[in-house]
Amino acid sequence: MLRELPKAYEPGAIESRWAEYWIKEKLFSVPTPPPGETRPVFTLLLPPPNVTGRLHMGHMLNQTQMDIIVRWHRMRGFITLWLPGTDHAGIATQMMVEKQLEREGKKRKDLGREKFIERVWEWKNEYGGAILDQMKRLGASVDWDREYFTMDENLSHAVREVFVRLYEEGLVYRGNYIVNWCPWHETAISDLEVKHEEVQGKLWEIRYPVVGSNEFITVATTRPETMLGDTAIAVNAKDERYTHLHGKKVLLPLMNREIPIITDELAQPEFGTGAVKVTPAHDPNDFEAGKRHNLPQINVMDERAHMNANAGPYAGLDRFEARKRVLHDLREQGFLVGEKDYTLAIGKCDRCGTIIEPRLSEQWFVKIQPLADRAKEAVQSGEITIVPDNYRQIYLNWMNNIHDWCVSRQLWWGHRIPAWTCANPNCKEVIVAREAPAKCPKCGGKVEQVSDVLDTWFSSGLLPFTTLGWPEKTRDQEVFYPTTLLITAYEILFFWVARMIMFGSHFMQGHHQDAAIKKASGWTDKKNDSVPFRQVYIHSLVRDAERQKMSKTKGNVVDPLDVIERFGTDATRFTLAAMAAPGTDIAFNESRTDGYRAFANKIWNAARFMFMNVDRIGFVWDGFPDPVVPGQGPDGTAEGGCPHTGIAGFTSVKLEDRWILSRFNRVAADVNDALETYRFHEAANRIYDFFWGEFCDWYIELIKPRLNFEEGGDKSVAQTACANLVSLFDAALRLLHPVMPFITEEIWQALWEGKAPSKSIALAAYPQADEKQFDLAAETDMAILQDLIVSVRNLRAELKIEPKLKLPIEVFVHEPEIARLIEQNRGAVERLATVEKITFVQNSLAKLPGVRGTARFDVHVIYERKIDVSAECERLKKELEKIEKGIIGAQKQLGNPQFLAKAPMNVVENLRRQEQELGILKEKALDKMRELACP
């Protein structure tokens, strides 16, 4: 006797129980395969969420797609490794702890570096695992035994090794350059960490007096406070207006410092006055011009963007307060000659929103071009494929315009740069080493480690190989590197993906994957094994129901944990999968999730129906030789092993058996094909249509008479029908499992209770199509019967016939074979269409009212009802008025250009469809009024 399922499907209790079971049993832990292994391998690295993070819809989509692909490969017999971990998130984590200190009235400098880092570790240990706990609750089938943190000692050792090697190869250097400086965090940030916004600002025109004359040169600026650091005025050598001023000097207003007039391409005659101020310490273009002319570099701001001593009387002022004072003084002294409204793009820190200050600072850089050239080649040559393909060109365009990477950050939390400077002011030697030097190798003086840490993306860019034991050579690298796939979001294509390709291609040169595993995995056409992954899939962006980007300011952020609480994890996962067409953003709508919650209920009720009949008939479910994936258990072994095609234990007795067997195999083929190319929406929708429509609504209804065994009857018929139902249900659960893992596990375990061939459905074989079980004739015949039944149902609905009232029908067929088919299945048609009697007629019924016609048959429901003509005419008149009102309203909106310009595309399309449907209803109402001769 099978375990009885509760009447109500309650996802919360089921999901938490199986999530705990999967972890406890270590079902997804993967021991390192020994040499001689010949099975295919699938490896995927989880994009490590920040240790500060909480699950959002982007995470939910990303992890849903990864889990679907991972479970699918695992069930297909691949040795499947999904590596989880978290990123130390330098700026974000430090900011979190500094805010905590602020509430205590403290600053990090009050604690000192060592104590502050201890405080961060305490915070990480207490709060840092929240997002991984959420992942565990969601059932992510990762190998938790291999969980990493980017500040783990082994990974930190690898980071130091990479930095030192790059330095030794001349690919890391230190220098004074203009960087993006965040005054709030007091650190440099990369170009990718700056978000640009267009704002309405001002353009101020300032005149500089030419020394020794009564002339002035006028320049324009949007940042007048930086003029305090001007070291030149530039004009173009070809600009004849200024030829007579070449080699002369101007007096810098407010500072009374003489600065030269230089000729440089920085100044373009056609723009503004043709003259520009040069501030080498506060503008990247000015910095380059300053180098060309050997100009002084005067930094007038400190780390907090307050004016420093170089700003003279403005020292101590915040940059924006200084701007006000500078403008006031320029105006008072007659140097400010113009002020215009001006649209400019300002850069803001992506973390805190503070306006970025271009600032001259000593930083560490990676010479990126040699690494970028190889990373570009890896994609161009097809060693790495990017899906959807349009992102490939975006990637290549960026790589063609790449700049050296500033990797130093003025933070305390992170991987400290392994560099030391000699404390002797007469030496100042810089030492980059794997271990701290005891003394300066040049003068023997004391050394101090530089205070900067590395950009977080530096360490995360190494993860594909450092998580597998690098810099040591390990068996894990032979088996699992290159990883197979990376699923990630577009916004970190350059932050992370490009850097992984650069680092992997460089540091894994000469690496070779195990030849047998590479061949079994289907990668023999890939010549180079240094790349970090074979494929990259860029997933969609999750937007709100109106296709607007989710943001806290708009108040339209959807919390996936709230959605899961109400609808369940399986329904939420299915929603995201069903809407995830490659290259198309997802307009997340909870009504869809509610619908997929109903889908889960449908499966649950179908299982309860099956279990009830199994028990009632006394069918003994010993289990068919269900395919089990060998080697997927925690110990690397699993018993079993059967064909991975078709449905085992299924006996085709009647048309509906042949039909459902053929349909299942075609659906299995479609789903496998869709998942192969990341068409998650197609896979989910094909499974949905099969499970709800073909299996539950048709097949179960068709076999009910065979299941209704009565005493004295032929029990074998019911036994066969029951066996078919159970084996089909088992296969359908396995087909659905990667998308809805919890409900499928619950039902599958109940189905196999005590006899399951593996500890989990996740270790059972994924259905593969068996072309021998394709049956086009059965599918064609069943389609005709379905068409007939649906036509009768639709006619009954139009005639508003009572659902239980059986009525006779007349059928005209175009071919004798159709009549024989209907006759052979008369019982099914009569039962499913609520038909009393079927009569075949010789003449077409097409001209009769209340008829449905197809290419193969016409069907007429024989039903006469007496109606009150005047009352029916009155009802039709009111219905017509309502329809016409709806048409006028739709036409009014569709004729409004402002509405069409502002309304979302889906709203406009729905309105147009509504107008068309109302037009059809209007014609039907008019036809009925004409038939009844309504006044």
Side-chain angles (χ1 to χ4, degrees):
M1 181 174 179
L2 297 179
R3 175 165 62 86
E4 184 178 353
L5 294 178
K7 185 174 182 180
Y9 166 57
E10 298 293 343
I14 290 171
E15 291 169 0
S16 60
R17 175 158 41 84
W18 288 118
E20 291 174 10
Y21 171 81
W22 293 331
I23 295 173
K24 179 184 176 183
E25 295 295 325
K26 296 182 178 293
L27 295 185
F28 311 126
S29 297
V30 182
T32 304
E37 178 59 67
T38 59
R39 285 173 293 161
V41 165
F42 179 85
T43 311
L44 187 144
L45 179 70
L46 174 80
N50 286 353
V51 71
T52 58
R54 295 294 185 273
L55 195 75
H56 57 63
M57 265 301 175
H59 290 132
M60 186 73 197
L61 172 65
N62 184 242
Q63 292 179 21
T64 293
Q65 293 184 342
M66 285 188 287
D67 197 44
I68 289 172
I69 290 293
V70 166
R71 288 177 184 269
W72 177 60
H73 276 89
R74 186 181 292 116
M75 295 176 75
R76 291 165 62 224
F78 284 67
I79 301 172
T80 305
L81 174 61
W82 185 9
L83 272 166
T86 48
D87 193 282
H88 65 278
I91 291 179
T93 308
Q94 179 160 319
M95 185 168 64
M96 193 74 70
V97 177
E98 287 196 66
K99 286 182 177 179
Q100 192 179 66
L101 288 173
E102 279 181 21
R103 292 192 290 271
E104 300 172 12
K106 301 176 184 176
K107 294 185 176 181
R108 64 180 164 110
K109 292 178 180 178
D110 297 334
L111 273 68
R113 183 168 193 144
E114 188 176 335
K115 291 293 183 183
F116 177 77
I117 291 174
E118 287 178 10
R119 183 68 177 262
V120 179
W121 276 107
E122 288 173 8
W123 184 93
K124 183 264 177 187
N125 293 333
E126 185 172 355
Y127 302 107
I131 196 164
L132 293 184
D133 290 341
Q134 291 168 349
M135 281 183 62
K136 290 175 182 177
R137 167 63 182 80
L138 298 179
S141 61
V142 302
D143 184 347
W144 291 111
D145 288 342
R146 292 177 181 257
E147 180 187 339
Y148 66 84
F149 177 55
T150 51
M151 291 279 285
D152 287 342
E153 180 51 41
N154 61 318
L155 297 184
S156 297
H157 168 68
V159 169
R160 290 193 298 273
E161 181 65 27
V162 163
F163 188 89
V164 173
R165 287 195 193 183
L166 289 173
Y167 182 80
E168 291 171 345
E169 294 167 11
L171 296 177
V172 161
Y173 63 93
R174 190 187 196 191
N176 284 302
Y177 293 91
I178 296 290
V179 296
N180 303 301
W181 188 269
C182 174
W184 197 96
H185 290 111
E186 297 182 32
T187 182
I189 60 175
S190 71
D191 292 343
L192 293 173
E193 293 169 297
V194 179
K195 59 180 180 181
H196 294 276
E197 295 179 6
E198 277 200 353
V199 298
Q200 286 300 312
K202 297 286 185 180
L203 185 68
W204 291 279
E205 294 180 342
I206 305 168
R207 62 180 189 172
Y208 290 54
V210 178
V211 175
S213 76
N214 294 323
E215 288 189 76
F216 294 89
I217 289 184
T218 301
V219 301
T221 180
T222 60
R223 298 160 63 215
E225 67 279 6
T226 64
M227 68 170 289
L228 305 175
D230 286 357
T231 56
I233 293 292
V235 297
N236 194 287
K238 298 177 182 177
D239 193 337
E240 295 179 357
R241 291 173 294 176
Y242 300 113
T243 303
H244 66 294
L245 296 179
H246 292 182
K248 294 185 179 293
K249 294 183 179 182
V250 297
L251 189 67
L252 178 62
L254 307 183
M255 300 300 285
N256 296 319
R257 185 172 68 241
E258 291 186 4
I259 58 176
I261 298 172
I262 62 172
T263 57
D264 194 274
E265 294 296 322
L266 181 67
Q268 296 296 315
E270 63 271 21
F271 291 110
T273 65
V276 295
K277 60 193 283 296
V278 183
T279 320
H282 290 279
D283 183 273
N285 295 319
D286 293 7
F287 173 78
E288 294 300 328
K291 286 201 300 183
R292 289 193 291 271
H293 296 273
N294 198 29
L295 296 175
Q297 300 167 341
I298 303 175
N299 195 332
V300 296
M301 296 184 200
D302 64 15
E303 293 84 355
R304 298 174 301 135
H306 284 61
M307 311 312 287
N308 62 21
N310 292 332
Y314 306 96
L317 294 176
D318 170 76
R319 55 182 164 164
F320 298 119
E321 182 60 32
R323 177 178 297 178
K324 294 177 184 177
R325 288 275 299 276
V326 165
L327 289 169
H328 174 271
D329 293 348
L330 288 170
R331 190 177 290 110
E332 287 291 310
Q333 296 179 35
F335 295 116
L336 186 63
V337 294
E339 180 179 307
K340 301 175 183 177
D341 291 332
Y342 188 73
T343 302
L344 65 156
I346 60 170
K348 291 186 176 181
C349 175
D350 194 40
R351 293 283 182 189
C352 65
T354 303
I355 294 176
I356 292 302
E357 190 63 43
R359 181 173 184 268
L360 183 66
S361 177
E362 187 175 57
Q363 302 289 340
W364 293 85
F365 295 84
V366 170
K367 190 179 292 184
I368 210 71
Q369 199 60 55
L371 301 176
D373 289 342
R374 174 67 189 96
K376 187 169 63 175
E377 179 192 350
V379 172
Q380 288 175 326
S381 66
E383 294 168 49
I384 298 173
T385 56
I386 301 177
V387 181
D389 187 62
N390 60 298
Y391 289 111
R392 175 181 182 274
Q393 193 56 50
I394 292 171
Y395 167 89
L396 292 174
N397 289 343
W398 186 74
M399 297 300 282
N400 285 330
N401 295 283
I402 199 168
H403 303 287
D404 283 359
W405 176 17
C406 175
V407 294
S408 49
R409 297 292 180 269
Q410 286 64 54
L411 303 170
W412 285 356
W413 172 247
H415 294 103
R416 198 165 178 179
I417 291 178
W420 290 259
T421 57
C422 179
N424 183 346
N426 297 319
C427 179
K428 294 184 179 181
E429 177 76 357
V430 176
I431 308 103
V432 174
R434 293 167 178 81
E435 302 295 337
K439 59 183 179 179
C440 174
K442 185 176 181 181
C443 73
K446 292 182 179 181
V447 295
E448 296 175 351
Q449 187 171 3
V450 298
S451 60
D452 296 351
V453 300
L454 287 165
D455 180 3
T456 297
W457 297 105
F458 188 95
S459 54
S460 59
L462 313 175
L463 291 173
F465 54 92
T466 57
T467 53
L468 298 175
W470 192 94
E472 304 300 324
K473 289 188 176 182
T474 65
R475 175 62 181 164
D476 271 351
Q477 291 167 33
E478 292 178 355
V479 174
F480 299 117
Y481 191 94
T483 63
T484 313
L485 172 68
L486 179 73
I487 298 181
T488 191
Y490 165 70
E491 57 260 32
I492 57 174
L493 179 60
F494 309 124
F495 273 122
W496 191 43
V497 179
R499 286 158 179 173
M500 284 191 287
I501 297 174
M502 287 189 274
F503 281 145
S505 299
H506 185 76
F507 287 99
M508 295 299 284
Q509 286 184 60
H511 167 75
H512 296 288
Q513 189 174 23
D514 182 292
I517 287 174
K518 184 177 179 180
K519 181 179 180 181
S521 304
W523 300 116
T524 50
D525 61 321
K526 304 292 185 181
K527 305 303 180 185
N528 197 310
D529 293 342
S530 68
V531 294
F533 26 72
R534 307 289 190 186
Q535 292 182 314
V536 179
Y537 175 71
I538 306 295
H539 66 66
S540 308
L541 180 68
V542 184
R543 298 179 179 270
D544 71 6
E546 300 303 320
R547 294 196 175 276
Q548 299 297 309
K549 188 172 182 178
M550 293 185 190
S551 71
K552 291 180 181 178
T553 54
K554 291 180 182 177
N556 63 345
V557 174
V558 177
D559 186 340
L561 297 177
D562 289 344
V563 179
I564 288 167
E565 185 68 27
R566 283 180 286 138
F567 302 108
T569 305
D570 280 339
T572 308
R573 286 170 59 113
F574 203 96
T575 305
L576 292 170
M579 301 179 78
T584 304
D585 287 346
I586 295 171
F588 187 84
N589 193 322
E590 287 188 5
S591 64
R592 290 283 295 267
T593 313
D594 192 28
Y596 295 128
R597 173 68 163 80
F599 176 49
N601 280 336
K602 184 85 169 180
I603 297 168
W604 187 263
N605 291 332
R608 293 186 75 249
F609 170 82
M610 175 184 67
F611 286 7
M612 177 188 70
N613 279 279
V614 167
D615 292 341
R616 182 180 57 80
I617 295 168
F619 174 69
V620 179
W621 171 236
D622 289 326
F624 301 117
D626 189 73
V628 176
V629 182
Q632 286 298 297
D635 59 353
T637 62
E639 296 179 359
C642 279
H644 286 207
T645 55
I647 302 176
F650 195 95
T651 305
S652 295
V653 177
K654 301 193 71 175
L655 171 62
E656 58 262 30
D657 297 324
R658 292 167 45 219
W659 166 74
I660 198 67
L661 190 61
S662 182
R663 292 301 308 138
F664 178 83
N665 280 276
R666 289 194 192 277
V667 170
D670 291 345
V671 171
N672 279 286
D673 181 65
L675 291 178
E676 193 73 53
T677 50
Y678 316 117
R679 302 191 318 273
F680 296 96
H681 66 304
E682 288 185 21
N685 289 321
R686 294 295 291 115
I687 296 170
Y688 177 92
D689 291 341
F690 173 80
F691 221 130
W692 186 305
E694 294 172 324
F695 181 52
C696 292
D697 283 354
W698 286 102
Y699 185 69
I700 288 179
E701 293 300 321
L702 286 165
I703 67 169
K704 277 183 178 179
R706 287 193 276 161
L707 293 172
N708 290 334
F709 165 75
E710 297 180 1
E711 288 295 329
D714 186 356
K715 190 175 181 178
S716 64
V717 173
Q719 293 272 17
T720 301
C722 207
N724 284 350
L725 178 61
V726 171
S727 61
L728 181 62
F729 212 117
D730 165 72
L733 289 172
R734 288 185 278 118
L735 192 71
L736 175 62
H737 175 73
V739 188
M740 299 181 90
F742 292 104
I743 191 172
T744 51
E745 185 77 270
E746 178 74 8
I747 297 172
W748 190 83
Q749 292 284 359
L751 181 66
W752 282 92
E753 187 163 20
K755 302 175 290 292
S758 63
K759 288 184 176 181
S760 169
I761 188 175
L763 305 182
Y766 199 75
Q768 303 294 309
D770 182 357
E771 293 185 5
K772 295 178 182 177
Q773 294 182 347
F774 289 174
D775 193 329
L776 182 60
E779 291 187 49
T780 303
D781 287 349
M782 184 56 68
I784 295 169
L785 294 176
Q786 289 173 316
D787 209 2
L788 176 61
I789 291 166
V790 170
S791 295
V792 174
R793 287 174 176 173
N794 289 341
L795 284 169
R796 290 174 62 93
E798 284 185 15
L799 295 169
K800 294 182 171 58
I801 299 170
E802 289 293 324
K804 294 183 180 179
L805 179 61
K806 291 187 176 183
L807 294 172
I809 62 171
E810 293 179 327
V811 180
F812 168 76
V813 298
H814 297 271
E815 299 173 4
E817 292 80 5
I818 306 299
R820 284 195 291 272
L821 173 65
I822 296 171
E823 186 63 45
Q824 290 167 359
N825 295 275
R826 176 185 289 268
V829 174
E830 290 177 346
R831 184 167 53 85
L832 297 182
T834 322
V835 169
E836 181 183 54
K837 180 183 177 183
I838 301 174
T839 302
F840 294 97
V841 297
Q842 299 302 312
N843 299 315
S844 173
L845 302 166
K847 295 183 179 180
L848 292 177
V851 169
R852 279 285 183 277
T854 72
R856 291 187 171 90
F857 63 80
D858 299 333
V859 60
H860 174 221
V861 175
I862 302 172
Y863 177 60
E864 295 182 8
R865 60 175 179 173
K866 294 180 180 180
I867 61 171
D868 184 330
V869 174
S870 61
E872 182 67 6
C873 285
E874 186 62 27
R875 185 191 69 78
L876 288 169
K877 184 179 178 182
K878 290 180 179 178
E879 183 178 316
L880 186 61
E881 289 175 355
K882 184 179 178 181
I883 291 169
E884 288 178 335
K885 185 177 179 181
I887 291 173
I888 291 170
Q891 289 175 342
K892 185 177 180 181
Q893 284 184 290
L894 291 171
N896 184 344
Q898 291 183 338
F899 170 79
L900 294 176
K902 294 180 180 179
M905 184 65 69
N906 63 316
V907 173
V908 176
E909 290 174 354
N910 288 339
L911 203 56
R912 285 179 177 145
R913 187 163 52 249
Q914 179 184 336
E915 182 191 19
Q916 293 173 350
E917 292 172 352
L918 287 171
I920 295 169
L921 291 175
K922 179 180 177 179
E923 289 302 316
K924 287 186 176 182
L926 289 171
D927 287 344
K928 289 178 182 178
M929 292 176 74
R930 283 191 285 268
E931 286 180 22
L932 295 173
C934 295

